[in-house]
């Protein structure tokens, strides 16, 4: 039903439908998004456990180009968990708005980090924890301020967008960069630099998400009675998704096999989210409607993500915890340390014969002062 308010046409949908239906859809999407994060976050840990079991059996590891993990049931359990999570995430978009579903994907990072500390004994220092939080906050801020995608209802509309110069340039750039990483940088630096394999997964993954959105449009159009089974574009989308997903899984396994899970998960999430938003913006022309507030918010989100990833990656080998900050020092302990230092100095003087003189007094004064300063 349409009406006019102040000369501006306004459209109202489903006014006869009670608010209960909208509320039910909202909570259905919310439940699917949360369950998706739980399944995906758990899948990282289960797959890592499977890869570790394969390594213990002296098989060729995934990071060395082996595929022995395909015979490990625990890895398949993790893979099934990830598939269920992705299906739940895909379904969530049909019920709840993207502004709700996409940020909730960050919960999978938290789930993975918590479970890895219990089941894989992978500890994060204070820098890693702060970096993880910053990465999630930045990704959430970026998604919140990103505009909604332009609605596409048919495969014909999607086909017209797929052949636009902007998306073609992006797709070619992603494929070229992925091939360079796979054939040149992967063999040389893949086992020492965590970003190589994760970059491959994220680049290819951004195209697979666009393919999944296209398949969703095909399914909706087919369910409305307009069958697209014979449409070559539909089959092209399916082949693209299968190829990208296979490549993505292969290199994600290599990254999980070589590097710490608590590092792989958040970095992969951040990079994958950024590239997916960029690909979706180019394909669906989302950024045309951005105002100044959303622009500033998006920039702040990107900068926060960069700082978070830097903390995660640059200080991963530094052993530093909240206790090392010494926010609430104990004065008694400090006095005890000074007294212990004085006793040690006296014992040293006794052992060396207790020489007298101005030089000795200056030496003792200097030693005491330095010790107090250090404590």
């Amino acid at each position: 039903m349409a009406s006019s308010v102040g000369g501006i046409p306004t459209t109202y949908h489903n006014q006869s439908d009670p608010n209960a239906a909208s509320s039910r859809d909202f909570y259905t999407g919310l439940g699917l998004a949360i369950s998706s994060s739980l399944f995906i976050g758990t899948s990282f840990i289960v797959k890592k456990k499977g890869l570790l079991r394969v390594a213990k059996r002296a098989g060729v590891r995934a990071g060395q180009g082996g595929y022995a993990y395909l015979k490990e049931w625990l890895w398949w359990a993790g893979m099934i968990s990830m598939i269920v999570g992705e299906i739940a995430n895909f379904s969530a978009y049909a019920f709840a708005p993207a502004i709700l579903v996409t940020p909730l994907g960050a919960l999978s990072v938290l789930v993975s980090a918590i479970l890895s500390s219990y089941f894989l004994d992978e500890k994060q220092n204070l820098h890693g924890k702060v970096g993880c939080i910053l990465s999630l906050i930045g990704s959430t801020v970026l998604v919140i301020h990103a505009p909604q995608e332009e609605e596409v209802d048919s495969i014909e509309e999607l086909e017209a967008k797929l052949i636009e110069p902007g998306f073609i340039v992006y797709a070619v750039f992603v494929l070229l960069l992925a091939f360079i990483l796979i054939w040149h940088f992967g063999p040389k630096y893949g086992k020492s630099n965590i970003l190589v394999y994760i970059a491959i997964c994220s680049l290819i993954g951004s195209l697979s998400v666009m393919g999944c959105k296209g398949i969703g449009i095909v399914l909706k159009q087919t369910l409305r009675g307009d069958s697209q089974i014979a449409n070559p574009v539909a089959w092209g989308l399916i082949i693209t998704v299968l190829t990208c997903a296979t490549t993505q899984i292969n290199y994600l396994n290599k990254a999980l096999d070589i590097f710490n899970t608590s590092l792989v998960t958040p970095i992969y999430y951040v990079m994958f989210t950024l590239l997916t938003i960029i690909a979706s913006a180019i394909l669906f022309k989302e950024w045309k409607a951005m105002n100044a507030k959303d622009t500033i918010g998006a920039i702040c989100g990107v900068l926060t993500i960069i700082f978070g990833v830097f903390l995660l990656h640059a200080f991963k080998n530094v052993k530093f915890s909240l206790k090392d900050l010494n926010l609430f020092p104990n004065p008694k302990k400090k006095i005890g340390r000074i007294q212990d230092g004085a006793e040690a100095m006296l014992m040293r003087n006794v052992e060396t014969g207790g020489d007298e003189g101005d030089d000795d007094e200056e030496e003792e004064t200097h030693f005491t002062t330095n010790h107090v300063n250090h404590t």
Side-chain angles (χ1 to χ4, degrees):
M1 184 179 71
S3 63
S4 178
V5 179
I8 301 175
T10 307
T11 304
Y12 301 91
H13 298 285
N14 299 325
Q15 281 194 339
S16 59
D17 203 24
N19 292 331
S22 176
S23 179
R24 185 172 60 249
D25 287 347
F26 176 85
Y27 286 110
T28 301
L30 178 62
L32 287 168
I34 293 175
S35 63
S36 167
S37 297
L38 292 174
F39 277 110
I40 294 174
T42 304
S43 72
F44 281 103
I45 308 304
V46 178
K47 290 200 314 185
K48 178 73 173 184
K49 292 286 285 185
L51 292 171
L52 290 175
R53 288 181 60 172
V54 171
K56 284 182 180 179
R57 292 198 298 263
V60 181
R61 301 180 63 174
Q64 298 171 343
Y67 297 94
Y69 59 84
L70 295 175
K71 298 178 182 179
E72 173 58 51
W73 69 268
L74 198 58
W75 182 87
W76 280 108
M79 192 66 228
I80 292 171
S81 177
M82 176 171 279
I83 292 172
V84 172
E86 293 295 348
I87 292 173
N89 185 64
F90 182 79
S91 303
Y93 285 97
F95 295 96
I99 198 171
L100 170 72
V101 177
T102 307
L104 285 178
L107 291 176
S108 63
V109 180
L110 295 179
V111 171
S112 179
I114 293 171
L115 293 180
S116 65
S117 64
Y118 283 100
F119 296 101
L120 299 178
D121 198 28
E122 296 180 353
K123 307 298 182 183
Q124 279 192 348
N125 59 15
L126 184 60
H127 299 92
K129 293 173 182 177
V130 174
C132 185
I133 294 171
L134 286 176
S135 298
L136 299 181
I137 292 174
S139 298
T140 304
V141 170
L142 180 61
V143 172
I144 288 175
H145 287 281
Q148 296 294 315
E149 67 185 14
E150 186 179 333
E151 190 172 346
V152 178
D153 291 326
S154 66
I155 191 65
E156 289 78 18
E157 294 179 16
L158 179 63
E159 184 178 357
K161 290 182 176 296
L162 289 173
I163 60 176
E164 288 182 355
F167 184 73
I168 291 176
V169 169
Y170 174 80
V172 171
F173 172 77
V174 165
L175 292 175
L176 285 176
L177 185 56
F179 278 124
I180 292 172
L181 289 172
I182 290 172
W183 297 109
H184 179 70
F185 289 98
K188 290 184 177 180
Y189 308 107
K191 296 177 183 178
S192 59
N193 192 322
I194 192 173
L195 296 178
V196 175
Y197 289 151
I198 295 179
I200 296 171
C201 296
S202 303
L203 288 166
I204 299 298
S206 67
L207 294 181
S208 69
V209 171
M210 299 303 102
C212 286
K213 288 187 176 183
I215 292 174
I217 294 172
V218 170
L219 292 175
K220 286 181 180 179
Q221 193 169 352
T222 302
L223 292 174
R224 288 198 299 261
D226 185 8
S227 178
Q228 299 296 316
I229 295 177
N231 194 323
V233 176
W235 286 103
L237 290 171
I238 293 173
I239 294 171
T240 300
V241 169
L242 291 176
T243 305
C244 290
T246 303
T247 307
Q248 197 174 352
I249 292 169
N250 180 33
Y251 284 96
L252 182 59
N253 283 327
K254 292 185 177 183
L256 286 171
D257 186 43
I258 296 172
F259 302 103
N260 194 310
T261 306
S262 59
L263 289 175
V264 172
T265 306
I267 294 175
Y268 171 67
Y269 168 78
V270 169
M271 196 176 294
F272 174 73
T273 301
L274 277 173
L275 290 171
T276 299
I277 290 174
I278 292 172
S280 183
I282 293 173
L283 182 60
F284 295 102
K285 304 293 188 301
E286 298 168 335
W287 301 90
K288 286 185 176 180
M290 283 193 70
N291 53 33
K293 181 181 71 174
D294 288 333
T295 303
I296 294 173
I299 293 173
C300 290
V302 172
L303 292 176
T304 305
I305 291 169
I306 292 172
F307 289 137
V309 172
F310 176 78
L311 284 175
L312 275 169
H313 190 56
F315 301 103
K316 62 181 179 181
N317 295 322
V318 177
K319 292 183 178 180
F320 187 76
S321 65
L322 195 60
K323 294 180 181 178
D324 296 320
L325 292 176
N326 199 21
L327 296 175
F328 304 101
N330 191 340
K332 293 181 180 179
K333 236 179 232 190
K334 188 172 181 181
I335 293 171
R337 281 200 213 104
I338 296 173
Q339 290 174 348
D340 292 343
E343 291 174 4
M345 182 189 66
L346 290 174
M347 291 298 295
R348 182 184 168 207
N349 289 338
V350 170
E351 290 173 359
T352 56
D355 294 334
E356 296 179 358
D358 295 338
D359 293 337
D360 292 338
E361 290 177 3
E362 290 177 5
E363 214 174 283
E364 290 172 6
T365 305
H366 180 68
F367 179 86
T368 306
T369 305
N370 282 344
H371 195 86
V372 172
N373 289 337
H374 284 303
T375 57

